[in-house]
Amino acid sequence: MAPITNGRTIYKEIPTGFPEPGKTTVYDTSLTIDLENVPLNGGVLIKTLVLSADPYMRVQMRPVDIEGYMPAFIPGQPIFSLGVGKVIRSERDGFKSGDYVYGLLDHAEYSLPNPDIPEFGIRVFKPEPGLRHTAYVGAAGMPGQTSYYGWKEYANAKADETVFVSGGAGPVGSIVIQLAKQDGLKVITSAGTDEKVKFCKEVGADVAFNYKTTSTLEVLKKEGPINIYWDNVGGTTLDAAIENATNHARFLECGAISQYNSKDGVNMKNLDQIYARRITLYGFLIFDLAPKWEEEFYKVIPKKLASGEIKFREDITFGLENSGQAIRDVQIGTNTGKKVIVVAQE
Ligand code: NAP
């Protein structure tokens, strides 16, 4: 078989605000790959099927010498994110041709990831019958795990309590809503369009509102106070949550997407209430909680997703050439569910 083009999304430069396809990233078709003969050097050759576009990718667009919880993207190299692929060839124990793998993959049609580096690691998985590959980067993957691990570890939920979930229509928020409802809580949630608000209600939120057209402060004053805040957005929404928290409230600090593309304009007025109300803030990253909760997650959640007991919604972009736009969509909020890039069908 002759060498074939290996399309890749290359990182070009740090954006000043939102990432821009064609400027921040470019799609490149200058390389070819010989699938039968490319040296594996003890590794595996992967065909990329699905890639994830996630909020945290914006924090990887920073100078390479600045530390962060995920490695910075390197100019001139492909960007990378969680994905699902199929093993084409393998020289490594535990991986054989035809296996499905999940892990950090280059935004390339074909790649040779290094399975030895834990945070870049890939693992073989067996897809749950009835669940598409795309789910494994969303509700059955990192975002779903974040919701499950964080909720189980820190919520300490009681049935008569009230929780506020910001970013309620995304893969993290929508699963938190469902976990909270299973535990019997009243759920208040916010999202950025009326259509997203409708989805939040469909997954069980008692109160859902469009934070762009309705005051978060007013809703929380009317429907709160809140015992738990699941924070996906940070900024003034966090400030409003502090203002409407009960004494001894728990704040699960999962993300702060309102701050990823701009640090300007946030005026936190209520920080003094953290001590006054004895609020506990749990800042967490999924990596730290995985050893405790991952096994249980894979036993419980994929089955519930496949059966429809837990609902999820995907927003699929087709073609690796569109991954730069998919990444931007997630930052500006035009994604209508878990943003997934389908690179190849099989
Ligand atoms: P997502 O909902 O698929 O996408 C991000 C959403 O954020 C956008 O669709 C948009 O929805 C909203 N958004 C954008 N700008 C905003 C702003 N200024 N104010 C409020 N909302 C804004 O994302 P996800 O994958 O579920 O992730 C949700 C959060 O969890 C993110 O902050 C992410 O970084 C965090 N996270 C943390 C961990 C961890 O380990 N701690 C792991 C995974 C994810 P709207 O239309 O509603 O504005």
Side-chain angles (χ1 to χ4, degrees):
M1 192 178 156
I4 56 170
T5 302
N6 188 14
R8 303 174 305 152
T9 302
I10 303 292
Y11 179 56
K12 291 298 277 187
E13 61 179 38
I14 301 169
T16 46
F18 290 108
E20 284 181 49
K23 196 159 183 274
T24 312
T25 54
V26 288
Y27 183 63
D28 173 85
T29 54
S30 63
L31 290 188
T32 58
I33 186 164
D34 181 341
L35 298 180
E36 281 161 8
N37 299 307
V38 61
L40 303 187
N41 302 319
V44 285
L45 174 61
I46 304 290
K47 178 178 183 177
T48 307
L49 301 178
V50 165
L51 291 166
S52 182
D54 286 296
Y56 73 85
M57 295 170 79
R58 180 62 181 83
V59 303
Q60 296 179 280
M61 297 171 183
R62 64 175 189 268
V64 287
D65 57 344
I66 292 186
E67 289 277 311
Y69 64 87
M70 285 292 287
F73 292 138
I74 299 170
Q77 298 289 317
I79 57 169
F80 48 88
S81 68
L82 288 161
V84 170
K86 196 169 184 178
V87 177
I88 304 285
R89 289 167 46 218
S90 170
E91 290 178 353
R92 192 172 173 92
D93 288 348
F95 295 87
K96 60 180 191 317
S97 171
D99 280 347
Y100 292 107
V101 294
Y102 168 71
L104 277 185
L105 296 176
D106 279 352
H107 279 222
E109 289 172 291
Y110 297 92
S111 62
L112 288 129
N114 181 348
D116 286 332
I117 306 173
E119 65 270 34
F120 289 86
I122 53 167
R123 49 179 274 180
V124 173
F125 76 99
K126 293 218 181 315
E128 180 75 25
L131 214 51
R132 292 190 303 264
H133 295 321
T134 47
Y136 282 89
V137 296
M142 188 278 287
Q145 288 163 349
T146 302
S147 317
Y148 192 82
Y149 303 174
W151 187 257
K152 292 271 171 185
E153 185 72 21
Y154 300 120
N156 191 19
K158 291 163 203 74
D160 59 347
E161 290 187 326
T162 298
V163 58
F164 172 42
V165 183
S166 56
V172 173
S174 58
I175 292 196
V176 173
I177 292 170
Q178 294 174 77
L179 294 172
K181 285 314 296 175
Q182 279 174 14
D183 284 348
L185 281 79
K186 172 178 173 179
V187 178
I188 307 168
T189 191
S190 59
T193 67
D194 292 347
E195 205 276 329
K196 289 185 184 185
V197 166
K198 190 166 162 266
F199 174 64
C200 293
K201 287 184 181 155
E202 281 165 19
V203 301
D206 300 286
V207 178
F209 65 98
N210 181 339
Y211 69 88
K212 291 180 180 165
T213 55
T214 307
S215 157
T216 301
L217 211 50
E218 292 307 316
V219 174
L220 295 183
K221 259 184 203 145
K222 179 165 173 258
E223 302 289 346
I226 56 173
N227 307 92
I228 304 173
Y229 174 41
W230 183 288
D231 189 7
N232 283 323
V233 308
T236 50
T237 310
L238 170 57
D239 210 39
I242 294 171
E243 194 169 325
N244 288 282
T246 59
N247 287 341
H248 304 288
R250 286 86 69 200
F251 277 38
L252 281 66
E253 291 303 318
C254 175
I257 194 161
S258 73
Q259 307 302 295
Y260 298 168
N261 294 280
S262 161
K263 296 278 179 208
D264 301 336
V266 181
N267 182 7
M268 300 288 288
K269 296 184 188 132
N270 295 312
L271 292 179
D272 59 327
Q273 291 304 309
I274 293 174
Y275 84 87
R277 298 184 191 195
R278 288 85 88 202
I279 297 170
T280 304
L281 287 89
Y282 297 100
F284 68 94
L285 289 172
I286 179 177
F287 322 122
D288 303 327
L289 299 175
K292 182 166 171 189
W293 296 106
E294 186 178 86
E295 202 182 324
E296 181 179 309
F297 173 87
Y298 279 118
K299 262 190 211 145
V300 174
I301 296 296
K303 279 190 184 55
K304 291 192 180 198
L305 297 168
S307 72
E309 187 182 334
I310 295 183
K311 297 183 180 61
F312 64 102
R313 194 160 71 158
E314 294 172 341
D315 175 358
I316 297 179
T317 291
F318 290 94
L320 184 60
E321 66 277 16
N322 298 315
S323 75
Q325 182 63 45
I327 290 162
R328 178 179 169 86
D329 289 348
V330 171
Q331 298 299 328
I332 60 180
T334 48
N335 61 317
T336 54
K338 168 63 204 158
K339 179 54 93 174
V340 180
I341 303 142
V342 171
V343 179
Q345 294 295 344
E346 265 299 320

